[in-house]
Structure formats: C-alpha cells, structure tokens
Short mmCIF file of all heavy atoms in Angstrom, two decimals:
data_model
loop_
_atom_site.label_atom_id
_atom_site.label_comp_id
_atom_site.label_asym_id
_atom_site.label_seq_id
_atom_site.Cartn_x
_atom_site.Cartn_y
_atom_site.Cartn_z
N PRO A 1 71.36 -44.11 47.62
CA PRO A 1 71.58 -45.45 47.07
C PRO A 1 71.61 -46.56 48.13
O PRO A 1 71.22 -47.69 47.84
CB PRO A 1 72.94 -45.34 46.37
CG PRO A 1 73.08 -43.90 46.05
CD PRO A 1 72.40 -43.16 47.17
N ASP A 2 72.04 -46.25 49.34
CA ASP A 2 72.22 -47.27 50.37
C ASP A 2 71.34 -47.11 51.60
O ASP A 2 71.40 -47.91 52.52
CB ASP A 2 73.68 -47.30 50.81
CG ASP A 2 74.14 -45.96 51.38
OD1 ASP A 2 73.49 -44.92 51.12
OD2 ASP A 2 75.16 -45.94 52.08
N VAL A 3 70.51 -46.08 51.63
CA VAL A 3 69.72 -45.81 52.83
C VAL A 3 68.52 -44.93 52.47
O VAL A 3 68.58 -44.14 51.52
CB VAL A 3 70.59 -45.12 53.91
CG1 VAL A 3 71.00 -43.73 53.49
CG2 VAL A 3 69.91 -45.09 55.26
N SER A 4 67.43 -45.11 53.23
CA SER A 4 66.30 -44.18 53.11
C SER A 4 65.99 -43.64 54.50
O SER A 4 66.25 -44.29 55.51
CB SER A 4 65.08 -44.86 52.50
OG SER A 4 64.60 -45.88 53.33
N VAL A 5 65.45 -42.43 54.52
CA VAL A 5 65.16 -41.75 55.78
C VAL A 5 63.73 -41.24 55.73
O VAL A 5 63.31 -40.64 54.74
CB VAL A 5 66.11 -40.53 55.98
CG1 VAL A 5 65.79 -39.82 57.28
CG2 VAL A 5 67.56 -40.94 55.91
N SER A 6 63.00 -41.49 56.78
CA SER A 6 61.66 -40.95 56.94
C SER A 6 61.55 -40.49 58.40
O SER A 6 61.57 -41.31 59.31
CB SER A 6 60.61 -42.03 56.65
OG SER A 6 59.33 -41.51 56.86
N ALA A 7 61.50 -39.17 58.61
CA ALA A 7 61.50 -38.63 59.97
C ALA A 7 60.73 -37.33 60.01
O ALA A 7 60.65 -36.61 59.01
CB ALA A 7 62.94 -38.41 60.43
N ILE A 8 60.18 -37.02 61.19
CA ILE A 8 59.42 -35.80 61.36
C ILE A 8 59.62 -35.28 62.78
O ILE A 8 59.73 -36.05 63.73
CB ILE A 8 57.91 -36.03 61.06
CG1 ILE A 8 57.14 -34.71 61.02
CG2 ILE A 8 57.30 -37.02 62.03
CD1 ILE A 8 55.74 -34.84 60.42
N ARG A 9 59.73 -33.96 62.89
CA ARG A 9 59.82 -33.30 64.19
C ARG A 9 58.66 -32.32 64.29
O ARG A 9 58.42 -31.54 63.36
CB ARG A 9 61.15 -32.55 64.32
CG ARG A 9 61.31 -31.95 65.70
CD ARG A 9 62.70 -31.47 65.96
NE ARG A 9 62.78 -30.95 67.32
CZ ARG A 9 63.59 -30.01 67.70
NH1 ARG A 9 64.45 -29.48 66.83
NH2 ARG A 9 63.59 -29.59 68.94
N LEU A 10 57.94 -32.38 65.41
CA LEU A 10 56.72 -31.60 65.58
C LEU A 10 56.76 -30.79 66.86
O LEU A 10 57.34 -31.22 67.85
CB LEU A 10 55.51 -32.54 65.68
CG LEU A 10 55.31 -33.45 64.50
CD1 LEU A 10 55.52 -34.87 64.92
CD2 LEU A 10 53.94 -33.24 63.92
N LEU A 11 56.12 -29.63 66.82
CA LEU A 11 55.89 -28.79 67.99
C LEU A 11 54.38 -28.72 68.18
O LEU A 11 53.66 -28.24 67.30
CB LEU A 11 56.47 -27.40 67.78
CG LEU A 11 56.16 -26.35 68.84
CD1 LEU A 11 56.71 -26.75 70.21
CD2 LEU A 11 56.72 -24.99 68.41
N GLY A 12 53.90 -29.23 69.31
CA GLY A 12 52.47 -29.22 69.59
C GLY A 12 52.00 -27.85 70.02
O GLY A 12 52.78 -27.00 70.44
N GLN A 13 50.69 -27.63 69.93
CA GLN A 13 50.11 -26.35 70.36
C GLN A 13 50.37 -26.11 71.85
O GLN A 13 50.41 -24.97 72.29
CB GLN A 13 48.61 -26.31 70.07
CG GLN A 13 48.27 -26.23 68.60
CD GLN A 13 48.65 -24.90 67.95
OE1 GLN A 13 49.20 -24.00 68.57
NE2 GLN A 13 48.38 -24.79 66.67
N ASP A 14 50.61 -27.18 72.61
CA ASP A 14 50.87 -27.02 74.04
C ASP A 14 52.36 -26.81 74.34
O ASP A 14 52.76 -26.72 75.49
CB ASP A 14 50.35 -28.22 74.82
CG ASP A 14 51.07 -29.51 74.47
OD1 ASP A 14 51.96 -29.50 73.58
OD2 ASP A 14 50.74 -30.55 75.08
N GLY A 15 53.21 -26.75 73.30
CA GLY A 15 54.63 -26.45 73.48
C GLY A 15 55.56 -27.64 73.55
O GLY A 15 56.77 -27.47 73.55
N HIS A 16 55.04 -28.86 73.60
CA HIS A 16 55.96 -30.00 73.65
C HIS A 16 56.34 -30.44 72.23
O HIS A 16 55.62 -30.19 71.27
CB HIS A 16 55.38 -31.16 74.48
CG HIS A 16 54.43 -32.05 73.74
ND1 HIS A 16 53.10 -31.75 73.59
CD2 HIS A 16 54.64 -33.24 73.13
CE1 HIS A 16 52.51 -32.71 72.91
NE2 HIS A 16 53.42 -33.63 72.61
N THR A 17 57.51 -31.05 72.12
CA THR A 17 58.00 -31.52 70.83
C THR A 17 58.05 -33.04 70.79
O THR A 17 58.12 -33.70 71.82
CB THR A 17 59.42 -30.98 70.52
OG1 THR A 17 60.33 -31.48 71.49
CG2 THR A 17 59.44 -29.46 70.50
N ALA A 18 57.99 -33.56 69.58
CA ALA A 18 58.11 -35.00 69.35
C ALA A 18 58.91 -35.21 68.08
O ALA A 18 58.75 -34.45 67.12
CB ALA A 18 56.73 -35.63 69.22
N THR A 19 59.78 -36.19 68.08
CA THR A 19 60.53 -36.58 66.89
C THR A 19 60.31 -38.07 66.68
O THR A 19 60.53 -38.86 67.61
CB THR A 19 62.04 -36.30 67.05
OG1 THR A 19 62.22 -34.91 67.33
CG2 THR A 19 62.81 -36.67 65.79
N ILE A 20 59.84 -38.44 65.50
CA ILE A 20 59.66 -39.85 65.18
C ILE A 20 60.22 -40.11 63.79
O ILE A 20 60.37 -39.19 62.99
CB ILE A 20 58.18 -40.28 65.24
CG1 ILE A 20 57.34 -39.51 64.22
CG2 ILE A 20 57.61 -40.15 66.63
CD1 ILE A 20 55.94 -40.06 64.03
N GLY A 21 60.55 -41.34 63.53
CA GLY A 21 61.02 -41.71 62.21
C GLY A 21 61.99 -42.86 62.27
O GLY A 21 62.33 -43.37 63.36
N HIS A 22 62.45 -43.26 61.10
CA HIS A 22 63.36 -44.39 60.98
C HIS A 22 64.34 -44.15 59.83
O HIS A 22 64.03 -43.45 58.87
CB HIS A 22 62.59 -45.68 60.71
CG HIS A 22 61.86 -46.17 61.91
ND1 HIS A 22 60.63 -45.68 62.27
CD2 HIS A 22 62.20 -47.09 62.84
CE1 HIS A 22 60.23 -46.29 63.37
NE2 HIS A 22 61.16 -47.14 63.74
N VAL A 23 65.50 -44.76 59.96
CA VAL A 23 66.49 -44.83 58.90
C VAL A 23 66.57 -46.31 58.51
O VAL A 23 66.70 -47.18 59.38
CB VAL A 23 67.87 -44.31 59.37
CG1 VAL A 23 68.91 -44.49 58.28
CG2 VAL A 23 67.76 -42.85 59.79
N CYS A 24 66.46 -46.59 57.24
CA CYS A 24 66.43 -47.97 56.75
C CYS A 24 67.63 -48.19 55.82
O CYS A 24 67.87 -47.40 54.90
CB CYS A 24 65.13 -48.20 56.00
SG CYS A 24 64.92 -49.84 55.30
N ASP A 25 68.39 -49.26 56.10
CA ASP A 25 69.48 -49.64 55.20
C ASP A 25 69.48 -51.16 55.07
O ASP A 25 68.57 -51.84 55.55
CB ASP A 25 70.83 -49.09 55.65
CG ASP A 25 71.30 -49.63 56.98
OD1 ASP A 25 70.81 -50.69 57.43
OD2 ASP A 25 72.19 -49.00 57.58
N ALA A 26 70.49 -51.73 54.43
CA ALA A 26 70.55 -53.17 54.19
C ALA A 26 70.58 -53.98 55.48
O ALA A 26 70.24 -55.16 55.48
CB ALA A 26 71.76 -53.50 53.31
N ASN A 27 70.98 -53.35 56.59
CA ASN A 27 71.04 -54.05 57.87
C ASN A 27 69.75 -53.99 58.67
O ASN A 27 69.64 -54.61 59.72
CB ASN A 27 72.18 -53.48 58.73
CG ASN A 27 73.52 -53.70 58.07
OD1 ASN A 27 73.79 -54.78 57.56
ND2 ASN A 27 74.34 -52.67 58.06
N GLY A 28 68.79 -53.20 58.22
CA GLY A 28 67.52 -53.10 58.93
C GLY A 28 67.10 -51.66 59.16
O GLY A 28 67.57 -50.74 58.48
N THR A 29 66.23 -51.48 60.14
CA THR A 29 65.62 -50.18 60.43
C THR A 29 66.02 -49.72 61.82
O THR A 29 65.94 -50.49 62.77
CB THR A 29 64.09 -50.29 60.32
OG1 THR A 29 63.77 -50.76 59.01
CG2 THR A 29 63.42 -48.96 60.54
N VAL A 30 66.44 -48.45 61.92
CA VAL A 30 66.87 -47.88 63.20
C VAL A 30 66.02 -46.63 63.47
O VAL A 30 65.88 -45.77 62.60
CB VAL A 30 68.37 -47.49 63.14
CG1 VAL A 30 68.80 -46.80 64.42
CG2 VAL A 30 69.23 -48.71 62.87
N PRO A 31 65.47 -46.49 64.68
CA PRO A 31 64.67 -45.30 65.01
C PRO A 31 65.50 -44.01 65.02
O PRO A 31 66.68 -44.01 65.40
CB PRO A 31 64.16 -45.60 66.42
CG PRO A 31 64.28 -47.07 66.60
CD PRO A 31 65.46 -47.48 65.76
N VAL A 32 64.86 -42.94 64.63
CA VAL A 32 65.44 -41.59 64.72
C VAL A 32 65.17 -41.09 66.13
O VAL A 32 64.06 -41.22 66.65
CB VAL A 32 64.80 -40.66 63.67
CG1 VAL A 32 65.19 -39.21 63.91
CG2 VAL A 32 65.19 -41.10 62.27
N THR A 33 66.20 -40.51 66.77
CA THR A 33 66.04 -40.00 68.13
C THR A 33 66.05 -38.48 68.22
O THR A 33 65.72 -37.92 69.26
CB THR A 33 67.16 -40.55 69.04
OG1 THR A 33 68.42 -40.17 68.50
CG2 THR A 33 67.08 -42.07 69.13
N GLY A 34 66.44 -37.79 67.14
CA GLY A 34 66.47 -36.34 67.15
C GLY A 34 66.75 -35.78 65.78
O GLY A 34 67.30 -36.46 64.92
N MET A 35 66.35 -34.52 65.57
CA MET A 35 66.58 -33.82 64.30
C MET A 35 66.81 -32.34 64.60
O MET A 35 66.21 -31.80 65.52
CB MET A 35 65.35 -33.90 63.38
CG MET A 35 64.97 -35.25 62.91
SD MET A 35 63.43 -35.21 61.93
CE MET A 35 63.97 -34.41 60.43
N THR A 36 67.65 -31.73 63.78
CA THR A 36 67.79 -30.27 63.77
C THR A 36 67.78 -29.82 62.32
O THR A 36 68.11 -30.59 61.42
CB THR A 36 69.09 -29.81 64.45
OG1 THR A 36 70.20 -30.39 63.76
CG2 THR A 36 69.12 -30.21 65.92
N ILE A 37 67.42 -28.57 62.09
CA ILE A 37 67.34 -28.05 60.73
C ILE A 37 68.02 -26.69 60.66
O ILE A 37 67.98 -25.91 61.62
CB ILE A 37 65.87 -27.94 60.26
CG1 ILE A 37 65.79 -27.61 58.77
CG2 ILE A 37 65.09 -26.97 61.11
CD1 ILE A 37 64.39 -27.76 58.18
N VAL A 38 68.65 -26.41 59.54
CA VAL A 38 69.20 -25.09 59.22
C VAL A 38 68.45 -24.60 57.99
O VAL A 38 68.29 -25.33 57.01
CB VAL A 38 70.72 -25.16 58.93
CG1 VAL A 38 71.25 -23.81 58.48
CG2 VAL A 38 71.47 -25.67 60.15
N ARG A 39 67.96 -23.37 58.05
CA ARG A 39 67.18 -22.78 56.97
C ARG A 39 67.90 -21.57 56.40
O ARG A 39 68.72 -20.96 57.07
CB ARG A 39 65.81 -22.36 57.48
CG ARG A 39 64.95 -23.51 58.00
CD ARG A 39 63.63 -22.97 58.54
NE ARG A 39 62.74 -24.02 58.96
CZ ARG A 39 62.57 -24.40 60.21
NH1 ARG A 39 63.25 -23.82 61.19
NH2 ARG A 39 61.74 -25.38 60.51
N ASP A 40 67.54 -21.19 55.17
CA ASP A 40 68.09 -19.98 54.57
C ASP A 40 67.24 -18.78 55.02
O ASP A 40 66.32 -18.92 55.82
CB ASP A 40 68.19 -20.10 53.05
CG ASP A 40 66.84 -20.19 52.35
OD1 ASP A 40 65.78 -19.92 52.98
OD2 ASP A 40 66.83 -20.53 51.16
N ALA A 41 67.55 -17.60 54.48
CA ALA A 41 66.88 -16.37 54.90
C ALA A 41 65.39 -16.38 54.57
O ALA A 41 64.61 -15.64 55.18
CB ALA A 41 67.55 -15.16 54.26
N ALA A 42 64.95 -17.22 53.63
CA ALA A 42 63.54 -17.33 53.29
C ALA A 42 62.84 -18.43 54.09
O ALA A 42 61.65 -18.66 53.92
CB ALA A 42 63.38 -17.60 51.80
#
C-alpha cells in the first residue's frame, strides 16, 4: 500500500554478481544496494 519494489540480483557467466533496483514510496525513489533470498526445499 505504501511502497513498491523492483529489484534484481544476477550472477554472470564469468562469476561476478550485480544487484540493481529501486524502492519507491511517497518520498521518492531509493536505489537497492543488496538482496538475499531464502528458498524452500523445492
């Protein structure tokens, strides 16, 4: 209701990673600097 998130974390074929994206709320847009994920057994 108060924020939207658009972000992506990538691993290149050469082994380097990149994280890009933004969080947008009523005060403006702030860049994403990092992401981590937790997955289930599948």
Side-chain angles (χ1 to χ4, degrees):
D2 59 341
V3 68
S4 64
V5 179
S6 177
I8 189 167
R9 184 168 182 210
L10 302 114
L11 172 62
Q13 290 291 1
D14 65 358
H16 83 277
T17 63
T19 302
I20 61 169
H22 288 82
V23 176
C24 179
D25 64 19
N27 297 316
T29 303
V30 176
V32 170
T33 58
M35 296 176 71
T36 59
I37 189 169
V38 175
R39 298 178 176 100
D40 66 13

